[in-house]
Amino acid sequence: MDIYMTGVYIWYYNICKRQVWLMAHSILPDENDDNIVLGRFLHEYYYRKDQKEIKFGNAVFDILYQDKDEIVIGETKKSSRFKEASRYQLLFYIKLLKEAGISAKGVLFYPEERKKEEVVLTAEEEEKLEKMIAEIETIIEKESPPPAATCRYCPKCAYREYCFA
Amino acid sequence: MKKDLYVFNSGFLRRKDNTIMFETDEGKKYFPVEEIESVFIFGEVDINKRFLEFMTEKNICVHFFNRYEYYVGTYYPREHYNSGIVILKQVEFYNDYNKRITIARSIVEGAVLNMLVVLRYYNSRGNMLKDEIETIERMRHNISACSDVNTLMALEGNIREIYYRCFNKILDDENFTFVRRSKNPPLDRINALISFGNSLLYATTLGEIYQTQLDPRIGYLHSTNQRKFSLNLDISEIFKPIIVDRVIFSLVNKKVLSEKHFEKELNGIILNDQGKKLFVSEYNQKLYSTIMHPKLNTQVSYKRLIRMEAYKLQKLFLENIEYKPFVARW
């Protein structure tokens, strides 16, 4: 199967590997789940789609602006609960830009918490990303998803009823 | 949580800006579309294409019922949860007869176990159902020996006949006597209630399947091809005793329903509008009542349990996780 690597896969990979497989096979979570409805609302409320969202290849940046002589890309999140996942998602975008010859810096925005955090792509992080991408491809190519395993994200996950039915 | 919209009166159902509007001689009523999961139509309602397009956009199933035959059909919007691999696997489990009969047996097993749960409850309350329970227990052991779907269906039918006859002991009301199962049309009040309740449940289950990647046309106990939808009939079997039948017991034993809620039609007996409304109201209370789910460790409604039953089948297809039907604990 052709895998169209996206930042969302990087994000899911860092939260739950089973979710990567389910998403890649169009087994979507319950879209009426309260947390998903809230996330969708926040995204539309804080950053109006038509104004700020920018497409670059198969990546979509929530925010993009020029700060002095540097390009900054931003990603908005509901909370910092998934900090690591959010960081790698953004690092993946920075890497994409880098491969296109554009040097950029990243910023994570948590509007509900009134916080932001800078993200920089180092050589070490880049190597980690390469490994993640390879592993994501291996997971997706498997015939069935990794079995459900309880983690700290399960109680609020929109797949919880699916995984534990 | 989203609710279902039930329409009993006659009128015009239409889209008004971004809401559902129901217009009758008495006036207009509005229903916020984001709060609606499915629409059930009983009255003489006019709808237009614009309304159906709106239902498609919002992924809402519209179920139609008529006066005599109850369930007419469903406007099932194009799939929004679509997955190629799930359909392929679902078909694979149908085409492999061994796999198909295994699922069919589990469904019957689940249905019978839930009938027994209901009977044991009433037996413990002095309804003297010991003999019937023992008979059904004995017959239950034959399920695993059924090697074809027709034998299995016949066995299930025989068990259900004994089970329905227990209603005469559970329902202490001579106006509600069960003789034998009759459909199209139902010949007595109990049959009218069973038919009406089952058609509601079939529609509810179809709506829940719509929220999964499964195709409702491929059933395992009920053959594919003979009818438009069959997976919803399969899953409904498991829940009939604990949802529909318990609604009937509650309505009759609490004297909410009486003879005046029925009318004679086409050599049979059906519920009148008032009776249907009372039934639907109790049915909905049941659907939204919750139980503690042992694995999720949270409260889950009966309606969600139906969805989770579909999830379990999907997991059997994709991950080969053994399908165990839901069995109520009391």
Side-chain angles (χ1 to χ4, degrees):
Chain A
M1 120 183 234
D2 275 343
I3 298 163
Y4 208 46
M5 190 57 60
T6 69
V8 187
Y9 286 150
I10 307 280
W11 147 271
Y12 288 128
Y13 175 85
N14 285 282
I15 294 164
C16 169
K17 303 191 174 31
R18 178 175 167 83
Q19 199 171 353
V20 172
W21 191 95
L22 292 173
M23 271 283 174
H25 291 83
S26 302
I27 295 157
L28 303 181
D30 182 1
E31 280 169 21
N32 293 318
D33 182 84
D34 290 347
N35 281 308
I36 290 199
V37 173
L38 179 62
R40 198 160 51 214
F41 172 78
L42 286 179
H43 179 80
E44 281 165 16
Y45 179 78
Y46 283 107
Y47 304 98
R48 302 290 151 116
K49 254 186 184 164
D50 45 354
Q51 290 171 18
K52 302 275 175 72
E53 221 168 59
I54 290 128
K55 285 203 168 107
F56 178 82
N58 51 2
V60 183
F61 308 139
D62 284 351
I63 307 154
L64 186 140
Y65 59 89
Q66 182 103 25
D67 183 24
K68 287 170 200 150
D69 51 354
E70 214 173 8
I71 287 176
V72 180
I73 54 169
E75 176 73 22
T76 64
K77 292 290 177 195
K78 190 155 69 74
S79 79
S80 52
R81 214 161 93 90
F82 307 98
K83 207 168 148 183
E84 275 306 283
S86 310
R87 235 166 52 78
Y88 281 109
Q89 183 184 349
L90 197 49
L91 286 171
F92 174 72
Y93 293 150
I94 299 173
K95 187 172 175 293
L96 281 183
L97 287 171
K98 189 185 161 193
E99 281 159 9
I102 303 164
S103 139
K105 177 176 93 168
V107 184
L108 285 171
F109 293 91
Y110 305 108
E112 287 290 274
E113 299 172 2
R114 301 181 191 285
K115 275 201 299 201
K116 57 181 189 176
E117 190 195 321
E118 282 201 9
V119 176
V120 182
L121 183 69
T122 62
E124 194 189 333
E125 299 281 33
E126 201 168 349
E127 202 179 306
K128 268 195 198 167
L129 262 178
E130 300 276 357
K131 268 189 198 153
M132 271 178 206
I133 292 167
E135 276 175 55
I136 289 169
E137 283 169 350
T138 316
I139 292 170
I140 295 176
E141 274 160 9
K142 289 227 167 86
E143 192 162 333
S144 38
T150 312
C151 77
R152 69 190 183 99
Y153 299 117
C154 287
K156 282 185 180 178
C157 177
Y159 278 111
R160 65 187 178 277
E161 283 160 347
Y162 184 76
C163 289
F164 299 103
Chain B
M1 192 184 243
K2 292 192 176 191
K3 290 264 147 76
D4 294 326
L5 173 64
Y6 290 83
V7 183
F8 288 99
N9 299 331
S10 300
F12 210 124
L13 199 53
R14 57 174 98 220
R15 174 181 189 163
K16 175 76 181 134
D17 301 325
N18 225 15
T19 48
I20 298 172
M21 182 177 82
F22 186 52
E23 195 178 351
T24 62
D25 295 342
E26 284 137 49
K28 295 168 178 173
K29 271 189 191 164
Y30 295 88
F31 303 94
V33 74
E34 303 298 340
E35 284 170 23
I36 304 295
E37 185 158 351
S38 313
V39 181
F40 288 67
I41 298 181
F42 295 92
E44 285 306 317
V45 170
D46 285 333
I47 54 172
N48 56 20
K49 174 166 161 279
R50 200 169 115 86
F51 177 77
L52 291 178
E53 280 169 351
F54 190 38
M55 295 298 98
T56 300
E57 188 191 316
K58 300 291 177 187
N59 303 311
I60 296 171
C61 291
V62 187
H63 309 290
F64 297 93
F65 296 80
N66 83 5
R67 224 173 130 64
Y68 313 106
E69 292 169 89
Y70 296 132
Y71 180 69
V72 176
T74 297
Y75 174 71
Y76 194 79
R78 65 160 183 262
E79 291 278 354
H80 65 123
Y81 289 116
N82 226 331
S83 168
I85 192 172
V86 174
I87 303 290
L88 287 176
K89 294 277 184 176
Q90 200 187 337
V91 172
E92 185 192 311
F93 273 75
Y94 182 88
N95 281 340
D96 183 330
Y97 202 80
N98 260 332
K99 288 179 174 170
R100 180 182 164 195
I101 190 89
T102 309
I103 298 174
R105 277 197 295 253
S106 299
I107 288 165
V108 173
E109 176 84 7
V112 173
L113 287 174
N114 280 320
M115 288 180 220
L116 286 167
V117 166
V118 167
L119 297 185
R120 281 196 201 103
Y121 171 80
Y122 282 97
N123 189 51
S124 73
R125 302 189 50 169
N127 291 60
M128 300 197 290
L129 295 163
K130 204 165 158 279
D131 292 347
E132 289 88 341
I133 291 171
E134 277 171 14
T135 311
I136 295 178
E137 285 276 18
R138 258 200 315 279
M139 292 169 83
R140 180 171 86 85
H141 294 298
N142 299 331
I143 295 173
S144 53
C146 287
S147 56
D148 71 281
V149 175
N150 289 336
T151 324
L152 187 60
M153 286 276 254
L155 175 63
E156 197 251 5
N158 292 339
I159 292 177
R160 219 172 260 278
E161 204 65 33
I162 298 169
Y163 166 75
Y164 281 137
R165 244 179 275 137
C166 296
F167 282 27
N168 291 334
K169 289 185 187 171
I170 295 170
L171 301 172
D172 189 20
D173 189 331
E174 61 196 25
N175 290 314
F176 292 92
T177 308
F178 180 87
V179 183
R180 60 175 193 84
R181 184 77 178 104
S182 53
K183 307 171 198 171
N184 305 324
L187 297 173
D188 56 40
R189 296 188 188 101
I190 274 294
N191 272 292
L193 292 174
I194 294 170
S195 290
F196 184 67
N198 287 350
S199 18
L200 284 179
L201 183 62
Y202 294 148
T204 300
T205 308
L206 183 60
E208 292 305 309
I209 293 172
Y210 184 63
Q211 307 292 330
T212 72
Q213 283 74 21
L214 295 171
D215 190 319
R217 291 170 297 186
I218 305 163
Y220 298 85
L221 177 62
H222 296 86
S223 313
T224 297
N225 296 331
Q226 288 183 6
R227 44 178 83 72
K228 204 170 170 205
F229 299 123
S230 47
L231 187 61
N232 59 328
L233 308 187
D234 284 6
I235 295 177
S236 295
E237 291 298 328
I238 296 160
F239 291 94
K240 280 177 188 173
I242 49 179
I243 296 180
V244 175
D245 301 342
R246 280 181 166 159
V247 166
I248 297 174
F249 301 153
S250 162
L251 288 168
V252 174
N253 282 344
K254 287 181 188 154
K255 312 260 179 235
V256 178
L257 283 182
S258 62
E259 303 138 83
K260 68 169 192 225
H261 297 114
F262 295 84
E263 58 191 67
K264 243 181 136 33
E265 282 290 349
L266 296 170
N267 310 319
I269 289 177
I270 61 166
L271 271 162
N272 65 18
D273 279 358
Q274 186 57 28
K276 283 179 194 166
K277 280 182 197 170
L278 289 166
F279 196 106
V280 162
S281 158
E282 182 74 22
Y283 173 75
N284 262 286
Q285 265 188 31
K286 188 83 208 167
L287 276 189
Y288 288 100
S289 62
T290 57
I291 61 151
M292 190 68 177
H293 193 276
K295 271 202 208 155
L296 280 173
N297 219 8
T298 49
Q299 294 286 328
V300 175
S301 68
Y302 278 90
K303 197 175 183 199
R304 192 46 70 104
L305 284 172
I306 298 174
R307 166 105 53 100
M308 289 170 75
E309 212 58 15
Y311 286 157
K312 283 194 247 173
L313 283 172
Q314 198 170 305
K315 287 202 292 183
L316 167 70
F317 303 150
L318 283 179
E319 304 173 50
N320 236 335
I321 295 172
E322 190 196 353
Y323 168 66
K324 287 194 194 120
F326 174 78
V327 179
R329 276 173 294 174
W330 55 270

